[in-house]
Amino acid sequence: MRDTAEYDVCIIGAGVAGALLAFRLGRAGAKVVVLEAGRRHRVDERLAYMQRFLAQDNPWATENPQRDLYTNGGTVEYPLNRLRVKAVGGTTLHWGGMSPRLHESDFEMRSRYGIAVDWPITYTELEPYYCQAETELGVAGEDDNPFGPPRSRPYPLPGFPASADETKLRQVCKALGIRFHTLPQARASVGYRGRPACQAFSTCKVCPIRAKYSADLHIELAETTGNVTVLPLANVLRLEVDPQRRLKCAIYATPDRVEHRCAARVFVLAAHAVESARLLLLSESAAFPHGLANASGMVGKYFMEHASYSRTGQITGVHFPHYYDFETVQSEQFYDEPGRDQRAAFILQGMAGRPTPAQIANDFIKSSGHWGNDLEAELRRALTEAFGRSFWIEAMLEPLPVETNRIELDREVKDYFGNPCPRIIYNITEYERAAMRRADRVIKSMFDALGAHTLAPADVGFGAHQSGTCRMGRDPESSVVDPNLCAHDVKNLYIVGSSVFPTIGALMPTLTIAALALRLGDHLLAIR
């Protein structure tokens, strides 16, 4: 086994949490190493990636499927590899960019509604770090949300204007008593810190000019400090402890399966919900026979994800679709309604132009079986008939933390390195299904107001927001980390990311992940 140098801090995972933390610590003089299982994607590859995306190919897909094996054990077939990216920059390489804050109520579910648990920190405590996170990510927004939490600072960038279709949606919903507001975006509406303003390529899963934030930006900033070393394709296999039950090293393997030992004074696990829990469970020892930091038995428990409930309707006339290819408005009106103890909170979004011209053309050409000039008239007809004549409306739903929704090891299925792969056991609860029924009535009323003449069957999907499995709390018997994100059982191990969320509300988690990472950075610097 080969040894690397010893560091002040070893961070496992180069997504948004690991990247922000590495930058904050490196800028303060700490010697940091970041171990990332995936590769580093070059910026000059992005134009080619955009072309691949237009051809309906995922350029961020795993380069080693055997490495990223997983199985499902619940009633839901959860498509993990389609909803994450293992790479320097993590899932922010293909995320949607939406960056709202959680509501105050999301931190107080037990106190307010008698369900789930309270966070061990409050919205008020995290609010200054939300402001910092918006500055670091370059969030564009407007303070026009009557349902959102209080803010102490304005957004760093102006919000994106609503498109023609979203303006129409707002108008018809106003008559229904449904209020929409600007959706905060981690993408540049004007030039920001060397990032150009969004140019509306409409391939937001691959932003070729980095107008949309991705965490590889902060990895690069961290490296410029001279104090941060980033090791891509470093798959951490297990964490080892010393006789005092402190972490002494991370054992990682490169694609040639050669193992390396990385020592540090402090370790931070920032690998997101599935892999963070899996790594702790893989790190069994005499001191921790059920997995590292798992004396409570809570590691892997309370896995959460946002279910989405959407419908597409055909409408009369043509609604000019959004040229950005991302939503700029949403409604949080149905978030803190009476009855939240029985029915999940949800948010609403909608836009015209789905499917996009690229999707229509690709589907048409693939179904025809050939290319050529003889298809031009038929393709033009297909585009004319379909494009701008449909509307898509989605509700994203709050899940409850349920102990039986969990990540465990599947010891029958081994990955590329010979380790048990993660097994995802997930079921949608009646709490969410009650919200789906409520959302369906609201969505149908919106389509009636839009003049829809055909409504497709509902589609249920996922938001790609894996959360829970290493929840924070004050009680070591019911949580994995304390309010400062230090593992109750291992005093030099910290965990950051959505894995520590006790609850996740109905809103996108990335800004909260970023805020927690910045808060952890201040804590680690204070105890140096």
Side-chain angles (χ1 to χ4, degrees):
M1 187 179 295
R2 300 173 183 175
D3 288 348
T4 62
E6 184 165 345
Y7 297 87
D8 294 324
V9 181
C10 172
I11 299 172
I12 300 166
V16 63
L20 286 169
L21 184 60
F23 174 57
R24 177 150 291 192
L25 297 177
R27 186 175 56 181
K31 297 298 182 182
V32 179
V33 62
V34 181
L35 305 178
E36 168 54 51
R39 59 167 286 199
R40 187 191 292 261
H41 294 272
R42 301 196 318 269
V43 176
D44 61 11
E45 296 175 306
R46 288 200 176 193
L47 185 59
Y49 282 17
M50 182 177 73
Q51 293 169 331
R52 286 174 56 185
F53 174 76
L54 286 169
Q56 298 186 330
D57 175 32
N58 179 9
W60 311 112
T62 179
E63 66 274 5
N64 185 346
Q66 191 67 25
R67 179 197 67 184
D68 296 333
L69 288 176
Y70 67 95
T71 61
N72 276 291
T75 58
V76 169
E77 286 293 314
Y78 189 76
L80 178 62
N81 283 341
R82 186 166 59 81
L83 302 177
R84 68 174 177 180
V85 176
K86 280 190 178 182
V88 173
T91 304
T92 58
L93 294 171
H94 85 157
W95 70 314
M98 288 69 173
S99 302
R101 301 179 178 195
L102 292 181
H103 284 209
E104 292 172 288
S105 59
D106 295 326
F107 294 81
E108 302 169 351
M109 292 295 290
R110 171 61 61 176
S111 298
R112 294 193 183 207
Y113 305 110
I115 58 174
V117 293
D118 289 347
W119 287 48
I121 60 174
T122 65
Y123 173 85
T124 301
E125 290 176 79
L126 197 58
E127 201 278 337
Y129 292 101
Y130 270 132
C131 295
Q132 292 180 34
E134 288 167 346
T135 299
E136 292 297 335
L137 273 59
V139 175
E142 301 291 339
D143 192 9
D144 63 350
N145 180 1
F147 311 105
R151 308 177 51 84
S152 62
R153 291 190 212 167
Y155 288 100
L157 296 173
F160 285 85
S163 64
D165 61 323
E166 290 176 326
T167 299
K168 173 70 172 179
L169 182 66
R170 294 177 90 160
Q171 290 171 345
V172 299
C173 286
K174 185 177 181 180
L176 298 173
I178 300 173
R179 298 180 64 179
F180 278 77
H181 57 84
T182 305
L183 174 56
Q185 311 277 341
R187 48 172 53 84
S189 55
V190 296
Y192 186 73
R193 292 187 172 183
R195 290 159 52 194
C198 173
Q199 299 299 305
F201 287 96
S202 293
T203 58
C204 296
K205 294 292 185 183
V206 181
C207 181
I209 60 172
R210 291 175 134 184
K212 184 187 71 175
Y213 173 82
S214 54
D216 54 336
L217 287 162
H218 272 100
I219 287 292
E220 293 168 11
L221 289 171
E223 290 175 312
T224 63
T225 67
N227 294 318
V228 177
T229 301
V230 180
L231 300 179
L233 298 174
N235 296 266
V236 180
L237 307 180
R238 61 191 180 276
L239 302 170
E240 295 187 348
V241 295
D242 63 18
Q244 287 72 46
R245 295 165 60 96
R246 293 177 64 87
L247 260 182
K248 63 178 180 180
C249 64
I251 307 301
Y252 69 92
T254 42
D256 56 9
R257 294 190 175 94
V258 173
E259 294 190 3
H260 305 253
R261 181 186 293 108
C262 180
R265 292 191 303 106
V266 172
F267 292 80
V268 179
L269 185 50
H272 259 302
V274 175
E275 295 297 343
S276 289
R278 180 199 183 202
L279 180 56
L280 294 176
L281 294 174
L282 286 172
S283 301
E284 299 169 330
S285 66
F288 296 98
H290 304 296
L292 188 65
N294 195 28
S296 65
M298 291 293 106
V299 170
K301 303 288 180 64
Y302 301 106
F303 177 68
M304 294 174 287
E305 168 62 294
H306 287 131
S308 67
Y309 183 90
S310 62
R311 284 187 180 270
T312 300
Q314 299 302 310
I315 51 181
T316 302
V318 176
H319 291 253
F320 186 75
H322 204 316
Y323 47 84
Y324 290 122
D325 195 38
F326 58 84
E327 302 89 341
T328 60
V329 299
Q330 72 177 21
S331 175
E332 296 173 16
Q333 183 167 333
F334 303 94
Y335 210 97
D336 290 312
E337 285 190 307
R340 192 173 171 188
D341 59 331
Q342 300 293 323
R343 183 183 64 229
F346 62 90
I347 61 172
L348 291 171
Q349 300 176 133
M351 65 191 302
R354 292 197 178 185
T356 66
Q359 291 168 333
I360 296 168
N362 274 288
D363 291 344
F364 178 82
I365 292 168
K366 285 181 178 181
S367 65
S368 73
H370 63 280
W371 297 72
N373 293 332
D374 59 319
L375 285 180
E376 181 178 344
E378 293 182 50
L379 178 58
R380 186 183 299 275
R381 177 184 54 77
L383 286 166
T384 301
E385 290 179 355
F387 186 54
R389 298 179 186 273
S390 65
F391 223 100
W392 166 87
I393 300 175
E394 176 195 50
M396 194 162 71
L397 310 160
E398 167 194 32
L400 279 184
V402 177
E403 186 173 349
T404 51
N405 284 341
R406 64 193 186 276
I407 306 300
E408 59 184 34
L409 299 180
D410 189 333
R411 299 186 185 276
E412 301 299 317
V413 182
K414 303 296 178 65
D415 69 5
Y416 177 79
F417 298 100
N419 279 329
C421 76
R423 183 170 179 81
I424 303 168
I425 299 175
Y426 195 70
N427 304 284
I428 293 175
T429 67
E430 175 56 27
Y431 185 73
E432 295 154 275
R433 295 191 188 281
M436 288 182 189
R437 294 190 290 270
R438 166 73 165 136
D440 191 63
R441 293 192 294 271
V442 175
I443 290 171
K444 284 179 177 176
S445 72
M446 293 165 68
F447 273 118
D448 287 343
L450 285 166
H453 56 80
T454 305
L455 202 60
D459 179 65
V460 178
F462 294 100
H465 305 148
Q466 304 96 33
S467 303
T469 73
C470 300
R471 59 157 54 174
M472 71 165 89
R474 299 186 186 279
D475 182 0
E477 294 187 2
S478 60
S479 58
V480 178
V481 298
D482 68 17
N484 290 319
L485 307 186
C486 181
H488 291 299
D489 307 339
V490 186
K491 295 309 178 185
N492 65 334
L493 170 63
Y494 292 81
I495 305 175
V496 68
S498 56
S499 62
V500 305
F501 287 18
T503 59
I504 62 171
L507 288 161
M508 302 77 170
T510 303
L511 193 74
T512 305
I513 294 170
L516 288 172
L518 295 169
R519 179 175 176 270
L520 175 58
D522 280 359
H523 172 74
L524 292 177
L525 291 174
I527 63 172
R528 285 179 70 184

